[in-house]
Amino acid sequence: MIVENSLDELKKREGAYRIIKNFIESDVESELYDLTGLSGGFIASEEEIDLLQTYIGPAIFEDKLQEVGVNHMGGEKIFALNRTSSGILASILALVSKGDSVVHFLKAHPAHPSIIRACNLVGAVYDEYIDLDQFKIKDNTKLVIITGSTMDHQVLDEESFKKVIERAHNKNIPVFVDDASGARLRTAIFNQKPACDLGADLSVTSTDKLMKGPRGGLMAGKEEYVNMVKAKSNEFGLEAQAPVILAMINALKDYNPQNLRDSISKKDELFMLLIKSFNMFEKTPTGVMVSKESLKKEVNSKRDKCNLSETDLCFLWSMILLKNENIITIPAVSMPGASTTIRFDLSSNDANKLEIKEIYEKISRSFEYLLEVCVDEDKSRKIIYNL
Ligand SMILES: *Cc1c(COP(=O)(O)O)cnc(C)c1O
């Protein structure tokens, strides 16, 4: 294995950041294309930035945050965190103790690693289900978690969503929803309701996923629960600071679900081109993706003697896409333990700068190069860590 642990992932991400920095600072006329769907952003006027220096700003932002936050998420009260992972950690710290059970229902594995890490931290027993017939809520369960849309954009249907909430509430157990991308994918593409409107007690979304906000976690829910999580976040410094809150508010005001819906036809066009040459692609709600298992299978069918692991192949391809084709996909820049699935999100702003045929060509060319280098572990390592 080339990338084995969190430290290796850090090294890989720092390597990718060096490529991005060199690219931005070079005089080359070509562009960098962020197709992650996590474009981030910081929309703010000069006057608003001036407000950050006074005590008045945060007070004004707070009222505005409640207004735009409830509009986006539903619920009674809003609270902003540094990341979605921070919201997950704070909720589990606030609601779960050693020996308690946490059960999680989602459309498909894998769950976000912060959920499992937080449960381990408090010493909770963690169970994960993807099949309603098998879904079981043990007696000592203190929290039921639902993931609305997974890291790979596998979206839970609204019927199952409601059934899980009903079963938890029958036992008086609160429901927390990890709706990092789901708060937009579920509502904009699948016409589902916000998690709080479906009965969730807490729901958190990531303000840089499929919208133009900063990386941050926006939490909504019943006031009683939000207050508990907010207090716990303040104890550990997990809450968002004023600059991030300002950018969140403006991104929420700017958000238009039509932009996501517009990506559907582009996705279909790209998919039609790709299936002529590859077996490994699947559609996502707003793009296409290749799972680590499918990538390994496709590589094996076209090349003998590639001994790289599934995840190393993902990291390698993602770094080739970045370095050779100027395309940012998540595995090159991701946080430790995140899904290594390669996703091309056509709702990304930068997707509009490329013709579908160009995206197809960049994918094909980079895959050809992947086939060439993946038999050479030394060379692969150099590419992954940008040595
Ligand atoms: C992205 C994501 C997270 C974590 O978001 P961060 O901003 O990286 O903390 C959690 N859960 C799911 C399902 C995600 O897709």
Side-chain angles (χ1 to χ4, degrees):
M1 287 273 279
I2 296 175
V3 180
E4 291 192 59
N5 52 41
S6 290
L7 279 175
D8 289 345
E9 289 208 47
L10 181 82
K11 216 162 78 180
K12 167 223 58 172
R13 179 151 46 89
E14 288 179 349
Y17 281 176
R18 284 197 302 277
I19 297 177
I20 293 172
K21 176 171 177 280
N22 287 340
F23 194 87
I24 298 291
E25 288 177 349
S26 78
D27 300 327
V28 187
E29 277 295 307
S30 52
E31 285 187 271
L32 198 57
Y33 306 101
D34 182 339
L35 300 187
T36 61
L38 280 83
S39 46
F42 200 98
I43 308 171
S45 66
E46 299 240 350
E47 300 92 87
E48 285 170 329
I49 288 175
D50 285 344
L51 277 178
L52 291 173
Q53 297 170 1
T54 74
Y55 292 107
I56 300 161
I60 296 172
F61 300 157
E62 181 57 36
D63 282 354
K64 212 57 206 157
L65 180 74
Q66 295 302 323
E67 187 190 321
V68 294
V70 167
N71 186 37
H72 191 66
M73 301 280 285
E76 297 168 1
K77 185 166 178 174
I78 297 293
F79 166 53
L81 295 120
N82 185 47
R83 276 178 54 188
T84 295
S85 300
S86 321
I88 290 167
L89 174 61
S91 302
I92 290 171
L93 285 175
L95 302 172
V96 182
S97 306
K98 192 171 176 185
D100 292 343
S101 267
V102 172
V103 287
H104 184 188
F105 193 79
L106 67 172
K107 172 77 181 182
H109 307 295
H112 193 267
S114 64
I115 296 177
I116 298 136
R117 287 175 188 148
C119 287
N120 286 340
L121 192 66
V122 299
V125 178
Y126 172 79
D127 291 305
E128 195 174 291
Y129 298 94
I130 56 172
D131 181 348
L132 257 189
D133 294 335
Q134 280 165 18
F135 178 65
K136 219 170 46 223
I137 303 178
K138 291 186 203 156
D139 282 342
N140 62 341
T141 300
K142 290 289 152 55
L143 185 63
V144 170
I145 299 178
I146 296 174
T147 288
S149 164
T150 68
M151 290 181 281
D152 297 334
H153 290 185
Q154 303 296 303
V155 174
L156 189 64
D157 65 281
E158 202 175 64
E159 277 315 299
S160 307
F161 211 113
K162 285 196 277 200
K163 276 185 194 147
V164 172
I165 291 177
E166 190 184 316
R167 284 175 57 184
H169 284 175
N170 282 343
K171 295 192 166 197
N172 290 319
I173 300 164
V175 176
F176 170 93
V177 177
D178 174 358
D179 229 5
S181 59
R184 285 158 301 290
L185 278 184
R186 290 191 309 101
T187 52
I189 309 279
F190 294 90
N191 288 316
Q192 295 185 20
K193 292 200 180 79
C196 293
D197 293 356
L198 294 172
D201 300 278
L202 287 167
S203 167
V204 67
T205 194
S206 172
T207 52
D208 78 340
K209 290 188 172 161
L210 309 160
M211 58 182 280
K212 288 188 215 146
R215 192 161 196 150
L218 183 74
M219 183 171 283
K222 299 191 178 132
E223 186 163 3
E224 174 198 356
Y225 287 107
V226 171
N227 286 342
M228 283 194 265
V229 177
K230 189 170 179 178
K232 190 57 82 177
S233 303
N234 293 148
E235 285 176 14
F236 288 95
L238 301 170
E239 77 280 356
Q241 304 304 306
V244 164
I245 295 175
L246 165 61
M248 276 182 177
I249 292 168
N250 286 335
L252 287 164
K253 285 199 233 162
D254 169 85
Y255 171 68
N256 179 357
Q258 191 56 39
N259 294 344
L260 295 184
R261 293 180 199 125
D262 289 344
S263 64
I264 297 175
S265 59
K266 285 198 278 181
K267 154 188 93 175
D268 291 336
E269 193 187 330
L270 178 60
F271 188 73
M272 289 309 290
L273 283 175
L274 289 166
I275 52 169
K276 289 184 191 144
S277 323
F278 302 100
N279 292 314
M280 62 185 172
F281 281 92
E282 293 167 62
K283 289 185 186 179
T284 71
T286 55
V288 298
M289 70 170 197
V290 179
S291 70
K292 60 179 195 281
E293 294 85 7
S294 307
L295 178 60
K296 176 84 180 159
K297 234 164 106 185
E298 185 96 14
V299 168
N300 282 351
S301 73
K302 293 178 172 165
R303 196 85 165 110
D304 318 320
K305 303 201 208 76
C306 168
N307 297 321
L308 297 191
S309 69
E310 291 174 349
T311 51
D312 281 345
L313 272 173
C314 292
F315 291 127
L316 180 60
W317 191 21
S318 188
M319 290 299 280
I320 293 170
L321 278 160
L322 174 60
K323 199 158 186 178
N324 298 7
E325 305 294 341
N326 316 343
I327 287 185
I328 307 179
T329 52
I330 290 175
V333 290
S334 61
M335 296 294 171
S339 166
T340 52
T341 296
I342 308 260
R343 253 191 321 106
F344 300 91
D345 199 308
L346 299 181
S347 72
S348 313
N349 283 334
D350 289 355
N352 294 324
K353 298 183 197 159
L354 286 163
E355 301 288 329
I356 294 299
K357 189 144 180 302
E358 285 178 285
I359 299 180
Y360 167 76
E361 281 161 2
K362 282 173 172 292
I363 290 174
S364 299
R365 243 186 343 249
S366 58
F367 186 75
E368 284 305 313
Y369 189 60
L370 174 72
L371 289 181
E372 198 182 309
V373 295
C374 71
V375 290
D376 183 342
E377 184 165 338
D378 234 33
K379 195 163 179 185
S380 298
R381 177 185 304 274
K382 284 192 178 124
I383 294 173
I384 288 176
Y385 293 126
N386 185 29
L387 300 172

